[in-house]
Amino acid sequence: MQTTAQVNTQATGPVRTRQSSPWRDAWYRLKKQKTALAGLFVIIFFIVVGLLAPVITSQPWDGQNLADKLKPPSAQHWFGTDDLGRDIFTRVIYGARISLWVGFFSVVGSIVIGTSMGLVAGYYGRWVDTIISRLFDIILAFPSILLAIAIVTILGPGLSNALIAIAIINVPTYGRLVRSRVLSIKEEEYVTAAKVLGMSHVRILFSHILPNSMAPIIVQGTLGIATAVLEAAALGFLGLGAQAPQPEWGKMIADSRQYITAAYWTVLFPGLAIMLTVLGFNLFGDGLRDALDPKMKQ
C-alpha cells in the first residue's frame, strides 16, 4: 500500500532541493544586511558616475572661464565653480574615475604581492618565513603615510607613483593575513593527503590552500580600497599624488583650501565625495566580513 507522499512523488517526480555552497550562503546572509547593501549601492553609484561622466555632463573637466570663478552653486553650475572658473560638479564626477582607479589597482597590486609572499612564508617556513616576516615588520615599523611620502619622493610626484607607493605600504597587511591562514590550513588532513599522493607544492598551494584563504583576502581587499582612496587623497593634498589639472579629490581640496571661508563649496563637494566613497566601502566590507564568517551561519 502506497502512502500519500509516495503517490505525490510518483506524480510530480523527485523533489529537487537547492544545493548549498559557502558563497551562496554568504550572499544570502549579505542580502539580509541593509547597511552592507547601502554601502554596495554607494559603490555602484560612484562607479556608474565615473564611467558615464561624459554622458552626465557636457562640460570639460579642465575648461576654464575666469569670468565665472568662485561662483556659488546654481542651476548652471550645480556644485559651483573654483578659482579658475572650472565646473566643480564636472571635476567631482571625473574625479571618481581617478580615485576608484587608484584604490582598485593599488589594492590588486598589494593582494598579488602580499598573497604570494604570505603563501611562500607560511607554507615553507624556516628561514624563508623568517626573512619575509622581518621584511613585513620593517615596512610596518614606519607610519604608512610617511612611508608613502618617502616612496613618492624617491620615485617623483605623480598619480602612477602614488599608486605604487600605496600598493607597497599595504603589502604586509595581506602578507601577514595569508601567512596566518596558511599556517593553520597546511596542517589539515586534506593537505596531508595531497602530499602523500605526490601532489606538487605549487598545486597544493593554488588548488587547496589559496582557495580556502580567499574569504579574508576579499574582505580585507574591500576595506583596503577605502584606505587606498584616503591615502591617494592625502598624497594629492600634499602635492605628491595627482598633479594639476587632474580632477583628483584630494588635489581639488588642496587647491581650494585658501577659499574655504569665502567659497566653501570648493572644498565641500570633493570632501563629501571622499567621505561617501570611503563610507560605502567600509559598510560593504563590514557586511562581507559578517557574511563570510562561518560562525555567522545559522
Side-chain angles (χ1 to χ4, degrees), residues 151-255:
I151 295 173
V152 175
T153 302
I154 295 172
L155 299 178
L159 193 59
S160 299
N161 292 337
L163 188 153
I164 294 173
I166 295 171
I168 291 174
I169 64 176
N170 289 307
V171 164
T173 301
Y174 301 95
R176 298 181 71 176
L177 176 65
V178 173
R179 175 184 174 273
S180 64
R181 291 286 299 172
V182 173
L183 288 175
S184 60
I185 293 175
K186 74 176 185 178
E187 303 298 332
E188 297 289 339
E189 293 181 356
Y190 61 86
V191 176
T192 304
K195 293 178 181 179
V196 172
L197 293 174
M199 190 177 293
S200 65
H201 295 305
V202 174
R203 187 176 178 185
I204 292 174
L205 282 172
F206 290 97
S207 298
H208 296 286
I209 295 179
L210 181 59
N212 288 285
S213 304
M214 288 303 299
I217 295 175
I218 293 173
V219 173
Q220 186 59 46
T222 305
L223 296 172
I225 295 178
T227 303
V229 170
L230 277 178
E231 291 168 344
L235 292 174
F237 183 85
L238 296 173
L240 298 174
Q243 301 298 301
Q246 290 177 313
E248 195 273 325
W249 295 333
K251 180 63 176 172
M252 292 173 64
I253 295 175
D255 292 340

Side-chain angles (χ1 to χ4, degrees), residues 42-62 88-106 159-160 163 225 228-229 232-233 242 246-250 252 270 273-274 277 281:
V42 172
I43 295 171
I44 295 175
F45 172 78
F46 277 101
I47 291 175
V48 172
V49 164
L51 292 176
L52 300 181
V55 178
I56 297 174
T57 177
S58 59
Q59 300 191 44
W61 56 265
D62 56 349
I88 295 178
F89 174 75
T90 300
R91 291 177 62 78
V92 166
I93 62 176
Y94 272 97
R97 290 182 171 186
I98 296 177
S99 294
L100 293 177
W101 177 77
V102 173
F104 178 77
F105 283 102
S106 63
L159 193 59
S160 299
L163 188 153
I225 295 178
V229 170
Q246 290 177 313
E248 195 273 325
W249 295 333
M252 292 173 64
I274 296 173
T277 303
F281 279 105

